[in-house]
Amino acid sequence: MDLEIEKFQLRENEVLIGSGLMAFRRGSKQGTIYVTNQRVCFHEWMTNFVYMKLPLTEVAGYQTKRFLFLLFVYIYDKRNKKYSFSGFPAKKLQGWLEQVGIKKLDW
């Protein structure tokens, strides 16, 4: 995985739909997920490494799975790569994704 280091900044004509602190890859990375009207991004908060930066046109959909008391949200790109997130804003993340037209996958 090629990691970039950058601070999250809105682009021209980009609107933030929602953001929240989440864990990436079953808690191995802590950071902030951002959903905008143009993309979905995850930045690790300590290093500003970018672990996911997907234009909405490249997002195939999402799924959810509950494990004990944790709710996981899996975001899939169009190449079927899975990005796993958990944390208290998991339900909000689903709403943000739906708001920008990303649908829950049934498979």
Side-chain angles (χ1 to χ4, degrees):
M1 172 186 312
D2 293 332
L3 297 179
E4 298 177 28
I5 298 176
E6 66 180 58
K7 292 224 180 239
F8 179 81
Q9 293 185 351
L10 290 172
R11 300 172 179 164
E12 188 174 335
N13 300 319
E14 188 173 28
V15 176
L16 181 65
I17 304 302
S19 66
L21 297 176
M22 297 198 79
F24 177 63
R25 289 191 176 165
R26 296 194 181 233
S28 65
K29 308 291 180 207
Q30 303 290 319
T32 304
I33 191 158
Y34 300 93
V35 178
T36 76
N37 64 332
Q38 296 178 12
R39 59 192 168 137
V40 181
C41 305
F42 180 81
H43 289 236
E44 185 182 33
W45 63 272
M46 286 192 63
T47 62
N48 281 321
F49 280 142
V50 177
Y51 285 92
M52 182 183 73
K53 181 169 53 176
L54 288 174
L56 295 181
T57 56
E58 292 298 314
V59 179
Y62 75 94
Q63 288 184 314
T64 60
K65 183 176 183 181
R66 188 166 294 282
F67 181 73
L68 298 175
F69 62 91
L70 285 177
L71 178 64
F72 288 86
V73 177
Y74 303 109
I75 298 174
Y76 293 86
D77 69 14
K78 291 195 172 174
R79 294 181 307 263
N80 209 30
K81 182 174 181 179
K82 178 173 75 173
Y83 300 89
S84 172
F85 299 96
S86 64
F88 291 110
K91 285 194 177 260
K92 288 183 179 182
L93 174 57
Q94 293 173 72
W96 301 331
L97 294 170
E98 294 279 340
Q99 191 174 339
V100 295
I102 305 301
K103 299 295 180 194
K104 189 170 186 177
L105 301 170
D106 292 327
W107 40 275

